[in-house]
Amino acid sequence: MNYDVVIIGSGPGGYVCALRCAQLGMKTALIEKYSTLGGTCLNVGCIPSKALLDSSEHFHNAAHNFAKHGIEINSPKVNMQQMIARKNEVVSQTCDGVKYLMDKNKIDVYTGVGSFVSSTAVKVVDAEGKETILNTKNAVIATGSKPNFFPGMEPDKDRIITSTEMLNLEKVAENLIVIGGGVIGLELGSVHARLGANVNVIEFADTILPTMDSAVSKEMTKVLKKEGFKFNLGHRVQNVVNTGSGVKVTALNKKGEEVVFEGDYCLVAVGRKPYTEGLGLENAGIEMGERGMVAVNDHLQTNVAGIYAIGDVVRGAMLAHKAEEEGVYVAELMAGQKPHLNYNLIPGVVYTWPEAASVGKTEEELKAAGVNYKSGSFPIKALGRARASMDLMGMVKILADAETDEVLGVHMVSPRAADMIMEAVTAMEYRASAEDMSRICHPHPTYTEATKEAALAATGDRALHI
Ligand code: FAD
Ligand code: NAD
């Protein structure tokens, strides 16, 4: 078989790249080792986690907030099997959607493990061991990532689990221990906290979400403590033991004292690592970068002409939308176009309730870079919309250049922050000033008014409703 491009991996990087390649007239093949398309994101990542976050939020509201709204119901009960079944249905429909798009765009899909035979040939081995060789002018590595762990905390997929097992747990954890106060730990911890679990987070850094703006970390700490989370910051996990009926986690606190945590499950959520196992990179002469990543230049080209790598397997944020943008980028580059990708404006979201979202530089990054900046913040509780919905926690913070007033970073904790952040991304893409943002008419009553007020505050203490 001869192709213009062979893409290995059908996650949001790979399948979106395939779509754009096909649109641009390339004969395209997509290889996926699993029987369903969509990669981590659709099968065991973004989509199933959001399905469970939504279900658990409905339960939490029914149990704790309906009565205040004047809706009286008998005590709601959790049917975890049904919750998981609905999640599986959402996943299956979404994966089928990708299959439909492949067919519609006449992309040849191969199910099996892909590996390089040379720089112009890729082998596919299916479940029965049948081999197919695909000859190609170009190749794109989009093989994604797998959960990371450190010595002593090796997941056994029984009680010491990763996000993949957690998403299929058919009972509510009673005492959940989470190693890592990052995005996965807080999102999946939230699912079980809302369903009644005690959640104990063990985090190595001094804050949760240590790479986000410190105002977000602080507000999220308050939000999640209210939900019942306990945080053990500055703790280094030594080992995790499956006791048969539960788990025992030993960690060292900052003073070097041993602290023991007991629970029924331990979620290991200490980041993810690039996945290149069995890819035969050496057969094509492809060089590796640091920490197991495939090395690429600014145009996502490897050291071998015609071979590109995108998504979680290369440097940068491990996010689905980043992988998608990179997929489009390399497709257009292969077609001879001059695409552009602004890495500074890739938004990050944590889908707790309220949500946390960020774009651009954090205050800590601006300080470290010696940038002269100004800051404006506005609390969500001061909004009429927030009182109407009874969602009072959160804030919006805008950082702008002290001289030019250009917006450099926007950080928020708010209901629907995942959607709200797009105003900031758009404004920053057009290099808006804080004053520009403050002069845009925002609909009332909405949470977006907090963004306008924060922009007013950043332009010089001009917030109106505080
Ligand atoms: P992947 O999605 O990992 O896809 C790679 C594919 O390649 C896989 O299907 C794999 O089977 C296949 N593959 C690997 N090697 C081979 C081979 N040799 N041959 C054939 N196929 C191969 N990101 C967000 O932006 N928003 C979220 O809300 C979000 N939530 C998440 C929740 C969880 C629990 C997790 C784990 C991740 C989440 N992410 C989220 C991250 C997101 O899933 C990843 O950033 C994204 O999936 C990366 O896309 P990718 O295409 O690079 O790789
Ligand atoms: P993460 O990098 O977000 O968080 C890992 C946390 O573990 C960090 O806070 C880190 O300080 C801590 N940690 C590291 N080693 C530790 C140790 N030995 N003991 C205690 N704590 C330790 O990683 P994650 O939460 O595993 O998520 C993996 C990737 O998946 C992330 O890159 C994220 O972008 C992506 N993801 C995104 C979303 C989203 O966009 N909403 C959701 C889930 C996952």
Side-chain angles (χ1 to χ4, degrees):
M1 300 298 292
N2 294 310
Y3 287 98
D4 292 318
V5 57
V6 168
I7 299 158
I8 311 176
S10 75
Y15 90 74
V16 169
C17 182
L19 287 174
R20 189 71 186 118
C21 287
Q23 279 180 347
L24 291 165
M26 293 178 224
K27 189 166 161 47
T28 306
L30 180 70
I31 308 173
E32 171 55 55
K33 69 176 184 177
Y34 291 119
S35 57
T36 56
L37 302 180
T40 304
C41 174
L42 271 59
N43 291 279
V44 290
C46 325
I47 300 300
S49 58
K50 267 80 258 180
L52 292 181
L53 278 156
D54 281 345
S55 298
S56 58
E57 183 60 16
H58 286 314
F59 174 79
H60 178 83
N61 281 330
H64 301 285
N65 295 332
F66 276 15
K68 289 180 214 142
H69 280 277
I71 305 164
E72 290 179 4
I73 52 169
N74 292 331
S75 300
K77 286 198 195 99
V78 180
N79 179 342
M80 204 61 190
Q81 282 176 346
Q82 168 58 21
M83 208 177 272
I84 298 287
R86 189 197 79 93
K87 180 268 294 178
N88 289 342
E89 184 63 28
V90 171
V91 167
S92 149
Q93 283 171 2
T94 316
C95 293
D96 287 351
V98 176
K99 176 78 177 72
Y100 161 81
L101 290 173
M102 296 301 112
D103 294 344
K104 184 179 163 214
N105 286 277
K106 301 188 171 47
I107 293 160
D108 290 345
V109 174
Y110 292 86
T111 306
V113 175
S115 63
F116 286 95
V117 178
S118 71
S119 61
T120 55
V122 178
K123 178 171 72 179
V124 189
V125 181
D126 72 12
E128 279 79 47
K130 188 178 142 237
E131 290 188 5
T132 311
I133 299 288
L134 313 180
N135 296 305
T136 185
K137 292 182 195 149
N138 299 286
V140 180
I141 302 165
T143 49
S145 63
K146 291 274 174 204
N148 194 21
F149 51 85
F150 296 104
M153 57 171 91
E154 291 81 0
D156 63 8
K157 301 193 179 184
D158 173 31
R159 297 223 166 243
I160 308 167
I161 57 181
T162 70
S163 52
T164 305
E165 293 78 50
M166 188 90 212
L167 288 166
N168 282 317
L169 209 59
E170 287 202 350
K171 62 178 283 211
V172 180
E174 277 174 37
N175 292 298
L176 175 67
I177 298 173
V178 177
I179 309 181
V183 200
I184 292 183
L186 301 186
E187 287 188 0
L188 296 186
S190 265
V191 168
H192 282 256
R194 292 163 182 175
L195 300 178
N198 297 310
V199 180
N200 220 335
V201 176
I202 308 173
E203 165 61 53
F204 177 68
D206 290 334
T207 65
I208 55 166
L209 299 171
T211 55
M212 292 187 90
D213 191 278
S214 59
V216 169
S217 309
K218 269 191 207 131
E219 190 69 14
M220 287 297 287
T221 305
K222 274 195 249 163
V223 164
L224 294 170
K225 275 188 174 169
K226 216 171 154 224
E227 209 165 74
F229 274 65
K230 286 202 183 75
F231 294 114
N232 307 278
L233 305 173
H235 280 61
R236 184 190 291 270
V237 170
Q238 298 293 292
N239 67 67
V240 186
V241 178
N242 179 342
T243 59
S245 57
V247 285
K248 206 166 150 182
V249 180
T250 310
L252 289 183
N253 68 16
K254 275 204 153 166
K255 294 181 200 150
E257 296 158 346
E258 214 173 77
V259 191
V260 175
F261 302 88
E262 292 192 50
D264 46 356
Y265 290 95
C266 174
L267 169 66
V268 180
V270 293
R272 293 177 60 86
K273 55 185 174 204
Y275 186 69
T276 56
E277 233 174 84
L279 251 184
L281 295 178
E282 61 290 351
N283 299 333
I286 299 163
E287 279 170 14
M288 297 294 289
E290 54 185 16
R291 283 175 285 124
M293 288 181 276
V294 176
V296 286
N297 65 13
D298 288 349
H299 300 291
L300 296 158
Q301 293 162 319
T302 68
N303 62 310
V304 180
I307 303 184
Y308 303 78
I310 57 173
D312 280 10
V313 82
V314 299
R315 81 284 182 275
M318 286 184 166
L319 295 171
H321 41 287
K322 178 255 194 189
E324 289 187 37
E325 297 300 334
E326 290 184 335
V328 169
Y329 182 100
V330 298
E332 293 181 350
L333 199 69
M334 285 186 278
Q337 298 184 1
K338 292 189 169 58
H340 175 70
L341 210 173
N342 187 348
Y343 280 98
N344 185 42
L345 295 188
I346 293 171
V349 176
V350 188
Y351 292 83
T352 46
W353 193 266
E355 296 165 336
S358 270
V359 65
K361 303 287 183 226
T362 64
E363 187 159 354
E364 292 69 35
E365 285 170 336
L366 293 178
K367 268 188 193 146
V371 176
N372 192 8
Y373 67 92
K374 53 191 181 166
S375 169
S377 298
F378 191 81
I380 293 294
K381 69 175 177 215
L383 297 172
R385 185 73 191 87
R387 279 189 299 279
S389 67
M390 241 172 56
D391 275 313
L392 295 168
M393 298 197 79
M395 54 85 213
V396 176
K397 170 174 167 181
I398 294 186
L399 299 163
D401 189 288
E403 279 152 39
T404 66
D405 197 35
E406 180 175 355
V407 178
L408 302 175
V410 178
H411 309 280
M412 52 177 75
V413 175
S414 168
R416 301 282 167 229
D419 300 298
M420 274 176 48
I421 197 69
M422 272 318 298
E423 173 186 357
V425 180
T426 310
M428 289 172 71
E429 189 65 54
Y430 289 93
R431 302 197 61 176
S433 64
E435 184 180 347
D436 289 332
M437 286 185 78
S438 77
R439 288 190 183 277
I440 297 170
C441 180
H442 288 67
H444 173 77
T446 59
Y447 301 111
T448 68
E449 288 170 288
T451 305
K452 181 186 173 88
E453 292 277 0
L456 281 166
T459 57
D461 215 9
R462 291 177 47 219
L464 294 164
H465 291 87
I466 195 147

